[in-house]
Amino acid sequence: ETGVTQTPRHLVMGMTNKKSLKCEQHLGHNAMYWYKQSAKKPLELMFVYSLEERVENNSVPSRFSPECPNSSHLFLHLHTLQPEDSALYLCASSQRTATDTQYFGPGTRLTVL
Amino acid sequence: SQELEQSPQSLIVQEGKNLTINCTSSKTLYGLYWYKQKYGEGLIFLMMLQKGGEEKSHEKITAKLDEKKQQSSLHITASQPSHAGIYLCGAEPGGSNYKLTFGKGTLLTVNP
């Protein structure tokens, strides 16, 4: 689904670095999501934004900080990450949060050294 | 919390063969999504099932929902190398309309 883009596609960072992941959706949706996908684990929902308001924070450590400046953009700010945070981070969007299909971006492959 | 178990975990088939992937829920299914993922990439939406007995098709892929069994099956007819990838099912727990729970996925390899 090319309607959701993510940058960068790959990121390698040290534990003391600060970086940000960016997601942009071109579908006119009102809800956006961050997911984490680790090897051999189910996809984990991290954050949900609906109309730029955070409606879900799924017990995510504070070293992950989301930001949703408008309904088309979503960021995930990263600082002092741990090696176990290495994973594929996926962004998704949907028309609303109510039983609407979620469309995913290509993901950012994050490696924390 | 709801859990989804997919079977098999991985599957290797010869091109042209039919195959079935199952997704079983530990709780009542209110909505069931099927996605396909190429390794290291995003999920591509395939179809969504909401009603018991519902069946949908997209090209050579058919999915069914059996509410009583709390299960969905994905069937691919005459598989092709382009069908290779990871198939994930996602479900809506009752009362939380956006908090999808996902299975671990089924890795499908299609040998030419």
Side-chain angles (χ1 to χ4, degrees):
Chain A
E1 177 58 60
T2 56
V4 183
T5 58
Q6 289 186 243
T7 54
R9 293 294 310 276
H10 300 273
L11 178 62
V12 179
M13 60 187 288
M15 289 193 285
T16 58
N17 292 157
K18 288 185 181 181
K19 297 285 184 184
S20 295
L21 309 185
K22 180 183 175 183
C23 175
E24 184 173 359
Q25 58 96 2
H26 311 273
L27 301 169
H29 289 167
N30 292 312
M32 296 187 78
Y33 311 75
W34 278 118
Y35 285 88
K36 176 183 178 183
Q37 188 177 37
S38 305
K40 300 187 179 179
K41 284 187 179 180
L43 213 57
E44 300 170 58
L45 178 65
M46 299 175 73
F47 301 104
V48 181
Y49 276 82
S50 175
L51 295 171
E52 300 146 44
E53 235 184 280
R54 192 190 310 180
V55 296
E56 180 81 17
N57 178 345
N58 212 19
S59 303
V60 179
S62 59
R63 55 186 185 269
F64 294 92
S65 175
E67 179 190 359
C68 187
N70 55 61
S71 59
S72 299
H73 294 86
L74 184 65
F75 295 89
L76 188 63
H77 303 299
L78 317 170
H79 64 99
T80 59
L81 294 191
Q82 305 297 311
E84 59 264 29
D85 296 323
S86 299
L88 182 68
Y89 288 85
L90 292 161
C91 172
S93 72
S94 63
Q95 182 60 44
R96 303 157 299 176
T97 53
T99 63
D100 285 334
T101 301
Q102 294 179 27
Y103 294 90
F104 286 77
T108 295
R109 171 66 63 186
L110 173 67
T111 303
V112 182
L113 301 175
Chain B
S1 61
Q2 182 175 36
E3 290 186 1
L4 296 176
E5 181 149 347
Q6 288 187 235
S7 62
Q9 291 185 356
S10 63
L11 187 57
I12 302 173
V13 299
Q14 204 64 32
E15 182 177 358
K17 295 294 185 185
N18 303 337
L19 63 106
T20 300
I21 297 168
N22 292 306
C23 174
T24 304
S25 173
S26 60
K27 295 188 177 182
T28 303
L29 286 168
Y30 291 93
L32 193 289
Y33 296 78
W34 283 102
Y35 288 87
K36 179 186 174 185
Q37 183 180 29
K38 291 284 188 184
Y39 179 75
E41 297 184 8
L43 280 64
I44 298 169
F45 171 70
L46 294 176
M47 56 194 87
M48 183 214 174
L49 305 165
Q50 275 191 305
K51 301 175 187 176
E54 187 173 14
E55 181 175 321
K56 286 188 178 177
S57 293
H58 173 69
E59 297 178 344
K60 292 186 178 179
I61 302 175
T62 300
K64 298 179 187 178
L65 181 62
D66 186 332
E67 264 183 349
K68 288 182 183 177
K69 290 184 181 178
Q70 295 179 177
Q71 185 179 70
S72 177
S73 60
L74 186 86
H75 185 76
I76 299 178
T77 304
S79 58
Q80 300 169 359
S82 60
H83 287 127
I86 301 167
Y87 288 83
L88 292 126
C89 62
E92 300 169 12
S96 177
N97 48 29
Y98 55 81
K99 198 169 178 177
L100 290 183
T101 300
F102 284 88
K104 291 183 180 180
T106 295
L107 175 62
L108 172 63
T109 303
V110 181
N111 290 326

